[in-house]
Amino acid sequence: MNFETVIGLEIHAELKSKTKIFCSCSTAFGAEPNTNTCPICTGVPGTLPVLNEEVVNLAIKAGTALGCKINKFNKMDRKNYFYPDLPKNYQTSQFDMPICSGGVIEYEYEGKTVKVRLNRIHIEEDAGKLIHVEDEPISLIDYNRVGVPLAEIVTEPDMRSVGEAIEFLRKLKSILEYAGVSDCRMEQGSLRCDANISLRPVGQEEFGTKVELKNINSFRELEKALKKEEKRQRELYSFNEGYKVVQETRRWDAAKGKTISMRSKEQAHDYRYVVEPDLPPIILYDEQIDVIKKSLPEMPEVKRERFLNEYELTEKEVDILISDMGLAMFFEAVAKEGIAPKMAANWILGDILRILKDRKTESLEMTLDSVNFAKLLNVVSEGKISNNIGREVLEDIFDENKDPIKVIEEKGLMQISSSDELEKIVDEVIVANPQSVEDFKAGKTQASGFLMGQVMKKSQGKANPKVCKQLIDDKLSKL
């Protein structure tokens, strides 16, 4: 029997607010444990929360960017169940009246248009972080993350393959970054994903039993987890053991490469929601929503079309640039410095991406600015240094944003274009390689290429290739 995969996602995006959702504590990542805390976010009895207006505005911006309906009357609720790392023992979230509802994301995947409907976006507070001490019967708790504002984005079960789900998350991440809603740094936990996956016979309308995979924070691990769970369920159904697929929460164990059962989901909806008594309803106005809507920057799809029209790049080049907001901004800044767009794209998609990967650095965190990068590309395009030397200089200037001209001058890397100086080197190479000269005379034209390589080696890569080739060809033709 053939089975169809059904996937829905619940994404938690940390909102780009400097302070927490109900207090003025910092949301900065990487602080010493339990230093970004106060009586409000640690749940001290007698304290009262105050809703951060910026969190509301960011949620409206997210909803607008994703085509949602902004609900002008919404409220906060208490979600009750045991959180070992949430000191209040309940989470302040939104239940039946979220700030945004509906919405859709469209994207291309394997030659077809995929439409994923959004169910809702609601705002809530994050929990703390449990730190399990190896070989000790204790766990430590860091409350810094408690109260950090989140937007939970819930999709409908509209994805029919693991690939569609991964591409959806990439698309969503891009939209949130461009809108300025979240920095989406998955390695820091500011974009996390729960995935619901089930299988059903092809043609059946009724959904199969779904399994939830919790707290995955990278595209690669999400893909591996979904594929493994898909395979597990498919094998159970194939061997008539479908009854073993039960509604439950499973975690992804990356080290073991498998999903592991955590708890049953039979009581998944029994959270005993109650209206948050310490916070009034959230009332929004058309004027407020309109101001936020007008503040939205150019979004990815609009930028994509403009790049294709303005810069004459291939669709693949544009798609890679647009998928990373930092790269897209950097590319455009370099092009505005007068660099040919094709050259700028080639270097950014090749060398800049390679260095970022080696450094394990995000594009938005690059020290190198567009002015110094453009200076380097100008020197290369003018033939004053070779591409290879240009790449060496790029490595030198990347981390400290050095002036490439000064680096080239200090290291004496400027290309040799003087005919007199190059002629001397060419003569020495020809004398030192008589066999190559004989090969050339015998009709082996590749011998001139070998001589060219020897000239470049002798000049330490500084010989102007165009002038050098002309000199070699002239001298060999006269022998």
Side-chain angles (χ1 to χ4, degrees):
M1 184 181 293
N2 292 326
F3 289 93
E4 176 182 53
T5 302
V6 177
I7 298 173
L9 300 179
E10 298 172 12
I11 299 97
H12 292 86
E14 183 180 316
L15 293 171
K16 211 171 181 179
S17 167
K18 291 181 179 179
T19 54
K20 294 184 180 182
I21 188 168
F22 300 124
C23 65
S24 59
C25 288
S26 171
T27 58
F29 179 80
E32 287 294 313
N34 298 306
T35 54
N36 290 344
T37 58
C38 73
I40 294 174
C41 55
T42 53
V44 174
T47 58
L48 290 173
V50 177
L51 181 59
N52 184 343
E53 184 179 5
E54 179 63 11
V55 171
V56 175
N57 290 337
L58 287 168
I60 295 171
K61 186 178 279 192
T64 303
L66 295 168
C68 302
K69 175 190 174 187
I70 310 300
N71 298 314
K72 288 184 280 188
F73 185 90
N74 57 98
K75 61 181 176 65
M76 303 304 298
D77 301 278
R78 290 186 180 183
K79 182 180 182 183
N80 292 277
Y81 68 102
F82 177 65
Y83 283 86
D85 48 3
L86 195 55
K88 295 185 299 185
N89 211 27
Y90 63 84
Q91 180 188 36
T92 306
S93 181
Q94 292 189 305
F95 176 44
D96 56 333
M97 299 178 72
I99 192 166
C100 306
S101 54
V104 66
I105 292 181
E106 289 189 26
Y107 56 96
E108 295 295 318
Y109 181 73
E110 294 188 343
K112 67 175 183 178
T113 300
V114 181
K115 292 184 179 181
V116 177
R117 295 165 297 153
L118 303 183
N119 176 282
R120 59 191 278 150
I121 301 176
H122 64 259
I123 53 176
E124 62 186 21
E125 62 183 335
D126 204 349
K129 183 179 181 182
L130 284 172
I131 300 164
H132 305 290
V133 182
E134 191 174 353
D135 299 325
E136 293 288 340
I138 59 170
S139 291
L140 305 178
I141 301 179
D142 180 5
Y143 286 130
N144 279 347
R145 206 168 65 186
V146 170
V148 167
L150 301 176
E152 180 169 349
I153 302 164
V154 183
T155 80
E156 298 292 354
D158 288 346
M159 288 153 275
R160 296 293 175 264
S161 72
V162 174
E164 285 186 16
I166 300 302
E167 188 58 32
F168 168 84
L169 189 58
R170 291 188 191 281
K171 185 78 173 178
L172 176 66
K173 178 177 181 286
S174 178
I175 292 171
L176 295 177
E177 285 177 330
Y178 274 87
V181 169
S182 172
D183 61 26
C184 295
R185 292 178 179 170
M186 300 180 84
E187 75 284 355
Q188 294 183 7
S190 61
L191 187 70
R192 310 192 295 275
C193 180
D194 299 341
N196 294 298
I197 179 170
S198 64
L199 268 62
R200 65 183 177 186
V202 172
Q204 177 179 302
E205 289 189 14
E206 182 183 349
F207 293 127
T209 303
K210 72 176 179 179
V211 169
E212 182 183 38
L213 303 176
K214 290 293 287 184
N215 276 342
I216 303 172
N217 64 352
S218 83
F219 292 111
R220 185 178 180 185
E221 295 306 317
L222 176 62
E223 182 177 20
K224 289 195 290 188
L226 283 171
K227 283 184 175 178
K228 204 70 175 183
E229 179 60 23
E230 181 184 48
K231 182 173 183 285
R232 185 187 74 89
Q233 291 186 27
R234 193 179 300 278
E235 288 176 349
L236 288 172
Y237 284 121
S238 298
F239 290 105
N240 295 318
E241 294 183 322
Y243 64 90
K244 291 184 179 179
V245 180
V246 295
Q247 186 172 339
E248 63 178 341
T249 297
R250 299 178 74 88
R251 67 179 177 87
W252 168 242
D253 190 319
K256 295 179 180 178
K258 64 180 183 179
T259 64
I260 297 173
S261 180
M262 291 173 63
R263 58 180 178 267
S264 165
K265 288 285 284 185
E266 289 178 6
Q267 304 300 318
H269 300 293
D270 188 18
Y271 292 128
R272 296 182 293 112
Y273 281 102
V274 294
V275 176
E276 173 54 70
D278 293 334
L279 291 167
I282 301 170
I283 300 172
L284 308 176
Y285 298 93
D286 289 331
E287 295 81 1
Q288 178 185 5
I289 296 169
D290 288 341
V291 168
I292 292 170
K293 185 175 182 179
K294 288 174 183 175
S295 73
L296 276 175
E298 185 180 47
M299 299 306 287
E301 282 305 308
V302 177
K303 190 180 286 290
R304 181 181 187 274
E305 290 304 312
R306 183 169 65 78
F307 273 29
L308 285 171
N309 293 329
E310 282 187 27
Y311 297 118
E312 298 180 355
L313 302 176
T314 66
E315 287 195 4
K316 184 177 180 180
E317 289 170 334
V318 170
D319 286 340
I320 297 173
L321 286 171
I322 295 300
S323 68
D324 186 320
M325 186 178 73
L327 281 187
M329 292 168 60
F330 189 69
F331 162 77
E332 195 145 34
V334 173
K336 286 178 180 176
E337 293 291 328
I339 302 300
K342 194 71 175 177
M343 182 184 192
N346 287 341
W347 278 73
I348 290 170
L349 298 180
D351 298 282
I352 293 290
L353 274 180
R354 172 182 55 78
I355 295 174
L356 287 172
K357 185 177 180 181
D358 290 344
R359 305 284 203 278
K360 296 180 180 178
T361 303
E362 296 287 329
S363 58
L364 287 169
E365 297 173 348
M366 270 199 302
T367 307
L368 180 65
D369 65 27
S370 58
V371 175
N372 278 332
F373 186 57
K375 282 183 184 180
L376 175 61
L377 296 192
N378 259 323
V379 177
V380 173
S381 65
E382 290 170 0
K384 294 179 179 178
I385 62 172
S386 66
N387 283 334
N388 286 338
I389 288 179
R391 292 186 179 97
E392 291 177 22
V393 174
L394 179 58
E395 291 278 359
D396 282 342
I397 69 174
F398 190 86
D399 293 320
E400 298 178 27
N401 193 33
K402 295 177 183 175
D403 186 329
I405 307 301
K406 289 182 179 178
V407 172
I408 291 166
E409 289 174 349
E410 286 170 3
K411 295 191 172 185
L413 299 174
M414 204 65 81
Q415 206 160 67
I416 303 169
S417 296
S418 164
S419 295
D420 292 341
E421 194 173 348
L422 282 178
E423 187 170 10
K424 182 182 176 184
I425 297 173
V426 169
D427 287 340
E428 290 174 357
V429 166
I430 288 175
V431 169
N433 294 277
Q435 185 58 53
S436 295
V437 175
E438 292 304 316
D439 288 344
F440 182 82
K441 287 180 180 180
K444 297 179 180 179
T445 54
Q446 64 267 32
S448 65
F450 172 78
L451 293 172
M452 177 75 168
Q454 293 304 301
V455 171
M456 296 305 291
K457 185 177 179 180
K458 194 173 182 66
S459 68
Q460 296 181 322
K462 292 189 283 185
N464 185 307
K466 189 174 180 181
V467 177
C468 186
K469 185 177 185 307
Q470 186 64 51
L471 283 169
I472 291 172
D473 289 345
D474 288 346
K475 288 187 177 290
L476 288 177
S477 65
K478 293 174 182 177
L479 293 174

